[in-house]
Amino acid sequence: METQSLERTAHLPQVTEPRNPGMELDLDWVRAVQANTSAIERRAATLPGRRSVKRDYQAAWLLKAITLIDLTTLSGDDTVGRVRRLCAKARQPVAPALLDALGMGPITTGAVCVYHDMIETAVEALEGTGIPVAAVSTGFPAGLSPFHLRVAEIGESVAAGAEEIDIVISRRHVLTGDWQALYDEMKAFRAACGHAHVKAILATGELGSLRNVARASLVCMMAGADFIKTSTGKESVNATLPVSLVMIRAIRDYYDRTGYRVGYKPAGGISKAKDALVYLSLMKDELGDRWLQPDLFRFGASSLLGDIERQLEHHVTGAYSAGYRHAVG
């Protein structure tokens, strides 16, 4: 990783790209996509040891990671109070005294992600901050509710103020190789989102193979996805480095052919600061610096922020603080 300074700067507005308009489904391109599993796994296994940043440089990258977090609560026992606390944390994710010690001005997380019922609460709590509210939709997490209800759910969430919609695809379309059905579904979801950006959750742990992951990534981008996302966080296997490598390279291939940049969101299981550094280095290596901005990269996480705070405090004080001092929500 190249060095980054800890200069005092205000949190900049999100950089924005022209939206991916999608394209006609190119089945020849989709069917030509392959995945060399052994080579992908070997490459992924080298990643944690290939990049090491220390001291001020590590602190700078961890501060960058905070600005890329979709701070998330997706629990059946979510309450208005919990969501308000989460939004307060998104507005001020790091204690001001710690930021002062690091020579940093205010920063925020990339977004707050909630169920539909909590959109209004989150929008109200984040008013005036520029932090977008993301809502999970389309029968999250299984995506098995009737199609017309999934489309309607998107419309309800956009009307309630969600600026980003995290949809789940029908896994059966991937498992049966029905790429036309997946394309048509994703295109309908994109249309229902209107101005709101759409993140396509592939639920990669349930797709059977890395080749299926690569092909599903490509089809969703062809249908107009603004982001492709690994997981709902509810599967038994969520974000992994091999899956991330496959999806990131699909994004690169799509950009090379169309000129449109699509974002990437690993979600589920990323809870340690050291893991965030590995994902950042992977994005930098494979896609370059442009993909290290919140409009093109997000972490779907809830506990990651707490561990990053502990690492930053250790950097400043030389001691680790107790986890309860960095509660989220």
Side-chain angles (χ1 to χ4, degrees):
M1 294 182 183
E2 71 183 15
T3 62
Q4 293 197 4
S5 68
L6 290 177
E7 296 176 358
R8 180 181 296 274
T9 57
H11 182 53
L12 298 175
Q14 293 190 18
V15 180
T16 55
E17 286 279 324
R19 288 189 71 181
N20 170 33
M23 56 179 282
E24 293 298 319
L25 178 62
D26 185 341
L27 286 174
D28 289 338
W29 183 6
V30 174
R31 290 168 179 155
V33 172
Q34 301 294 329
N36 185 331
T37 300
S38 59
I40 291 165
E41 290 177 345
R42 284 198 303 272
R43 160 77 167 129
T46 68
L47 290 169
R50 291 185 67 245
R51 294 288 183 269
S52 179
V53 288
K54 304 296 183 184
R55 300 184 176 88
D56 285 355
Y57 305 119
Q58 183 181 88
W61 279 97
L62 291 178
L63 288 166
K64 162 64 74 174
I66 291 172
T67 69
L68 303 174
I69 292 176
D70 278 5
L71 201 57
T72 302
T73 183
L74 297 170
S75 300
D77 59 352
D78 282 342
T79 63
V80 167
R82 174 182 290 178
V83 171
R84 285 176 177 162
R85 290 193 299 273
L86 192 78
C87 292
K89 190 68 172 176
R91 296 171 66 128
Q92 187 177 293
V94 181
L98 194 53
L99 289 175
D100 285 343
L102 292 166
M104 281 294 294
I107 62 173
T108 71
T109 65
V112 168
C113 185
V114 295
Y115 275 120
H116 172 81
D117 276 1
M118 293 296 168
I119 294 173
E120 185 177 350
T121 298
V123 168
E124 180 182 340
L126 295 172
E127 184 177 3
T129 66
I131 303 171
V133 174
V136 294
S137 191
T138 64
F140 180 95
L144 294 175
S145 54
F147 180 73
H148 72 281
L149 294 180
R150 284 182 277 159
V151 173
E153 185 181 3
I154 292 173
E156 292 287 336
S157 291
V158 174
E163 297 179 58
E164 301 174 1
I165 304 294
D166 290 27
I167 63 95
V168 288
I169 67 168
S170 296
R171 285 69 135 176
R172 63 182 177 276
H173 295 330
V174 180
L175 296 171
T176 60
D178 193 344
W179 304 115
Q180 185 68 57
L182 177 61
Y183 177 85
D184 292 343
E185 176 184 76
M186 183 68 235
K187 201 167 182 65
F189 291 162
R190 162 65 192 270
C193 285
H195 69 274
H197 281 216
V198 57
K199 305 191 196 90
I201 307 173
L202 305 187
T204 55
E206 298 178 348
L207 296 189
S209 69
L210 291 178
R211 183 177 68 179
N212 279 347
V213 170
R215 292 180 175 181
S217 298
L218 188 56
V219 171
C220 286
M221 289 187 285
M222 288 178 177
D226 295 296
F227 265 73
I228 52 175
K229 175 179 171 181
T230 59
S231 325
T232 65
K234 307 295 186 181
E235 296 91 60
S236 58
V237 178
N238 294 292
T240 67
L241 289 174
V243 158
S244 294
L245 188 59
V246 168
M247 295 175 70
I248 287 167
R249 287 182 173 174
I251 289 172
R252 186 174 66 195
D253 289 346
Y254 186 81
Y255 173 67
D256 288 343
R257 292 213 192 185
T258 68
Y260 288 99
R261 292 183 173 94
V262 174
Y264 178 62
K265 180 178 174 179
I270 303 173
S271 60
K272 299 298 182 184
K274 63 181 180 180
D275 296 329
L277 293 173
V278 173
Y279 277 92
L280 288 172
S281 69
L282 174 61
M283 293 297 289
K284 182 175 175 63
D285 282 356
E286 294 287 334
L287 291 175
D289 290 340
R290 179 60 190 88
W291 263 270
L292 294 177
Q293 299 296 331
D295 63 324
L296 289 175
F297 183 57
R298 301 283 181 79
F299 291 106
S302 54
S303 57
L304 174 61
L305 177 55
D307 193 58
I308 290 177
E309 283 187 278
R310 294 185 71 237
Q311 299 301 324
L312 291 174
E313 187 152 328
H314 180 268
H315 173 73
V316 169
T317 69
Y320 285 107
S321 59
Y324 69 82
R325 294 188 63 239
H326 308 287
V328 176

